[in-house]
Amino acid sequence: VELASDEIFAFPFIIMTGEGRFSLSEKDRNQLQAYLKGGGFLLASAGCSNRKWATSFKAVMADLYPEQEMQKLDIDHPLFHTLVDIDRIVASKGSQVGAVYGMNLDDRLAVVFSPLGLNDTANAGGGCCCCGGNEVRNSKQINANIVAYALTH
């Protein structure tokens, strides 16, 4: 669904991902703010842990919500214990520790962001480009928890 489309309001949970720099049009920004204000939940993850995309996403969120800041979610946050108990975020390259960030709006977690890819490239099959990004190894469990948390809170 296009962000600018009114169809977005039919979904309680949306995902943004991608690679490379991006920006949102004024209509996209307004639509995203209305969606989140109306109770929607956004999961954003940089495809293949793309730094340029992650930087762009953080800039968009800072522009939309200058008074808010995404905060690193502590591993004790209920999100990490909704379906599966997760005690750490395992990155595919041991040199970087994974982290998940959240933004509260109207006293609820409305945005979850990972600069490391929450996709499962190891099991993508022969068509995966295998970019070598530092993906999150336990992404399936983390994603399951995020969806369950978003739909129950």
Side-chain angles (χ1 to χ4, degrees), residues 21 24 34 38 43 58 68 97 124-126 132-133 139:
R21 289 184 183 94
L24 297 181
L43 169 59
K58 289 188 279 189
Q68 292 289 100
V97 175
S139 62

Side-chain angles (χ1 to χ4, degrees), residues 75-86 109 141-153:
I75 205 69
D76 292 331
H77 190 283
L79 180 139
F80 295 112
H81 306 281
T82 303
L83 291 176
V84 179
D85 282 323
I86 296 169
L109 184 62
Q141 294 83 3
I142 292 170
N143 284 323
N145 275 12
I146 292 169
V147 171
Y149 181 88
L151 295 176
T152 58
H153 287 81

Side-chain angles (χ1 to χ4, degrees), residues 20-98:
R21 289 184 183 94
F22 74 94
S23 61
L24 297 181
S25 70
E26 184 176 349
K27 182 171 182 169
D28 287 341
R29 288 192 313 270
N30 291 339
Q31 195 82 325
L32 181 56
Q33 282 183 307
Y35 173 80
L36 294 172
K37 183 177 177 142
F41 186 94
L42 169 63
L43 169 59
S45 170
C48 294
S49 304
N50 186 273
R51 287 185 187 153
K52 291 177 182 177
W53 192 92
T55 299
S56 292
F57 179 78
K58 289 188 279 189
V60 164
M61 295 310 293
D63 182 50
L64 290 177
Y65 300 100
E67 72 287 351
Q68 292 289 100
E69 193 172 321
M70 282 189 280
Q71 302 290 324
K72 182 178 176 184
L73 297 179
D74 186 72
I75 205 69
D76 292 331
H77 190 283
L79 180 139
F80 295 112
H81 306 281
T82 303
L83 291 176
V84 179
D85 282 323
I86 296 169
D87 62 358
R88 61 191 164 126
I89 299 168
V90 183
S92 61
K93 296 179 181 173
S95 63
Q96 187 173 1
V97 175

